[in-house]
Amino acid sequence: MEGDKAEETKSFSGIPEAVFVDNVDEFMNLPENSGGVEKVLRQLDEQHGKYKFMEYTLNTKRRRLRQQIPDLARSLDVIEKLRSQKEDMDTQFLLSDQVFVKANIKPTKTVCLWLGANVMLEYSLEDAEKLLTTNMATAKKNLACVEHDLDFLRDQWTTTEVNMARVYNWDVKRRQAAKGAC
């Protein structure tokens, strides 16, 4: 049961987990922190910057997926409409931004899907529906993973910010104590 809970809090994208610095004295006495407070703060700041970059990347991916899901849903709606169509239908379609063209669509058993990278393939309505349904499920799953990773990432950079503040405050207290001892 505990293993399942730990699994839920991990990242799907391999985002490194920030370790909370509970005891700053012990943390600063670790061999990797022998370079002093400035070095530790620089490392924490670098880690924070990496988290911010990962957040930007994940937000871009989330934005793309949020645009893709409605497009897939509209394509599935069109396939359903084509499947139920028994006679010619007049419609308009988007040619480019704010440019629509009138068209007469005859009943059909096939549809051409734009796959990207200058590739368009003709599918039967059933095959196109299967492909789009699979792509929709994958996009929703990927969006859920990205949302989870963004939540995880926010926790990591917040932890890193808290660690930076704790190390900085520890250094200030240490310097004040050294100043007071003189």
Side-chain angles (χ1 to χ4, degrees):
M1 200 75 157
E2 282 183 28
D4 292 342
K5 194 166 195 162
E7 186 86 12
E8 289 175 16
T9 61
K10 297 294 181 190
S11 163
F12 292 114
S13 300
I15 299 168
E17 187 171 5
V19 178
F20 178 70
V21 176
D22 191 32
N23 186 329
V24 181
D25 287 323
E26 287 178 13
F27 177 74
M28 291 306 292
N29 287 328
L30 293 174
E32 61 265 18
N33 298 331
S34 62
V37 173
E38 291 80 22
K39 179 184 172 196
V40 171
L41 287 174
R42 201 171 27 248
Q43 288 171 342
L44 288 170
D45 187 49
E46 182 179 314
Q47 182 180 16
H48 185 264
K50 288 177 183 177
Y51 285 142
K52 287 295 191 178
F53 177 75
M54 288 180 215
E55 179 189 32
Y56 172 78
T57 303
L58 286 171
N59 277 327
T60 302
K61 188 173 182 179
R62 178 176 61 177
R63 193 172 23 259
R64 183 181 49 80
L65 287 167
R66 284 184 172 172
Q67 290 173 348
Q68 183 181 21
I69 291 170
D71 288 345
L72 291 168
R74 281 190 296 273
S75 296
L76 283 167
D77 290 345
V78 168
I79 288 175
E80 186 58 41
K81 180 74 173 166
L82 289 173
R83 183 177 282 156
S84 65
Q85 178 186 355
K86 303 294 183 216
E87 53 192 49
D88 288 6
M89 173 176 60
D90 289 326
T91 187
Q92 294 181 0
F93 67 92
L94 186 64
L95 186 61
S96 66
D97 289 338
Q98 300 181 9
V99 177
F100 288 86
V101 175
K102 291 182 181 181
N104 182 284
I105 301 174
K106 300 183 182 323
T108 183
K109 298 281 186 216
T110 62
V111 66
C112 293
L113 294 180
W114 183 260
L115 301 179
N118 293 326
V119 176
M120 181 181 277
L121 292 177
E122 185 174 13
Y123 289 92
S124 69
L125 293 176
E126 293 77 23
D127 289 343
E129 184 176 31
K130 286 179 192 173
L131 176 68
L132 291 171
T133 303
T134 301
N135 288 354
M136 174 80 90
T138 301
K140 286 181 178 179
K141 180 183 172 197
N142 289 343
L143 181 60
C145 289
V146 167
E147 296 282 356
H148 175 272
D149 282 351
L150 279 168
D151 289 342
F152 179 79
L153 192 57
R154 280 186 206 100
D155 291 343
Q156 302 320 300
W157 59 258
T158 300
T159 300
T160 303
E161 288 173 347
V162 169
N163 288 344
M164 290 167 69
R166 290 174 60 86
V167 168
Y168 180 81
N169 290 339
W170 174 85
D171 185 47
V172 168
K173 286 181 184 177
R174 184 180 59 91
R175 282 190 270 153
Q176 285 177 345
K179 196 179 198 181
C182 292

